[in-house]
């Protein structure tokens, strides 16, 4: 048998094979089955301790926020709308002709994220976006008639979500919590 000439029969981009590769693959171990894997530890009889987290107000606020968003999301799911979309609709309703940048700043949403959110609302026919007459670099937003009607149907669901929060923590604590957290409404 004649020795092959270098480069003959190879395609461009082929890399030379290492000699040990074929032998190594034949020595691979068989895959482990589910029965071969070690059993996971059984769940503890009592819940895990939070440690220092239970003493931090920020952690409690975060847990409360998760509960509120889960509850509010359930209320809004019937309308096929997210809490963020609801927030944008409320701001546009309260400020017809508002520009997107102002909404992004007020709601602490990144500009690109708000752009996608507005694209979605516009695609659903809930929001109308037009170039600003004052500054053509900005878009201003208005609710459409359909957007106004949807917001009117959502408001009772939003109020129901707040009622459930008041029921969970009690009416007095609910009023005090609203009062205490109102300081954050002024920050943007």
């Amino acid at each position: 048998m004649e020795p092959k000439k270098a480069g003959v029969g190879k395609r461009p981009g082929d890399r030379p094979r290492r000699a040990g590769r074929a032998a190594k693959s034949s020595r691979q171990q068989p895959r482990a089955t589910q029965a071969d894997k070690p059993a996971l530890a059984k769940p503890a009889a009592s819940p895990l301790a939070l440690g220092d987290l239970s003493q931090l107000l920020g952690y409690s606020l975060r847990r409360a926020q998760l509960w509120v968003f889960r509850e509010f999301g359930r209320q809004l799911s019937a309308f096929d709308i997210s809490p963020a979309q609801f927030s944008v609709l409320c701001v546009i309703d309260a400020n017809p002709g508002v520009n997107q940048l102002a909404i992004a700043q007020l709601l602490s949403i990144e500009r690109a994220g708000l752009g996608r959110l507005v694209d979605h609302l516009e695609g659903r026919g809930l929001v109308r976006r037009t170039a600003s007459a004052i500054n053509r670099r900005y878009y201003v937003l208005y609710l459409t008639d359909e957007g106004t009607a949807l917001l009117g149907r959502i408001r009772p669901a939003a109020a129901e979500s707040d009622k459930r929060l008041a029921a969970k923590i009690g009416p007095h604590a609910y009023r005090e919590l609203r009062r205490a957290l109102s300081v954050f409404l002024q920050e943007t």
Side-chain angles (χ1 to χ4, degrees):
M1 189 177 253
E2 289 183 0
K4 290 189 177 185
K5 293 182 183 176
V8 175
K10 292 186 177 182
R11 289 174 283 166
D14 279 355
R15 287 190 275 175
R17 291 186 110 179
R18 290 193 298 198
R21 185 179 254 174
K24 185 178 180 182
S25 65
S26 66
R27 290 182 290 172
Q28 287 179 342
Q29 298 295 324
R31 284 197 166 157
T33 63
Q34 191 65 24
D36 296 333
K37 293 181 181 177
L40 297 176
K42 292 183 180 180
S46 60
L48 294 175
L50 288 172
D52 292 343
L53 292 176
S54 64
Q55 302 303 310
L56 297 174
L57 181 60
Y59 181 76
S60 296
L61 286 171
R62 175 67 174 142
R63 294 299 301 238
Q65 187 255 346
L66 290 170
W67 184 91
V68 168
F69 264 59
R70 189 172 45 249
E71 171 60 30
F72 194 40
R74 269 196 291 269
Q75 294 289 334
L76 294 179
S77 67
F79 303 97
D80 191 27
I81 199 148
S82 71
Q85 293 167 348
F86 172 75
S87 298
V88 170
L89 291 175
C90 285
V91 171
I92 296 170
D93 184 55
N95 305 280
V98 65
N99 76 51
Q100 285 184 215
L101 181 59
I103 294 174
Q105 290 171 340
L106 178 66
L107 297 178
S108 299
I109 300 174
E110 289 185 24
R111 288 173 58 182
L114 181 67
R116 287 187 299 272
L117 201 149
V118 170
D119 287 344
H120 178 78
L121 294 172
E122 188 177 34
R124 284 188 60 186
L126 303 174
V127 169
R128 180 173 45 93
R129 177 176 17 197
T130 60
S132 170
I134 298 168
N135 186 340
R136 299 299 240 158
R137 293 179 296 170
Y138 293 114
Y139 286 105
V140 292
L141 304 170
Y142 298 91
L143 291 184
T144 62
D145 290 341
E146 188 177 338
T148 301
L150 178 63
L151 192 55
R153 290 192 311 272
I154 292 174
R155 283 188 171 117
E160 182 60 33
S161 184
D162 257 20
K163 284 181 192 173
R164 288 189 44 94
L165 176 60
K168 184 163 184 72
I169 65 174
H172 177 71
Y174 174 81
R175 285 190 301 276
E176 287 299 308
L177 184 59
R178 283 193 55 146
R179 185 191 60 71
L181 295 178
S182 67
V183 67
F184 295 104
L185 295 176
Q186 310 312 315
E187 292 184 11
T188 55

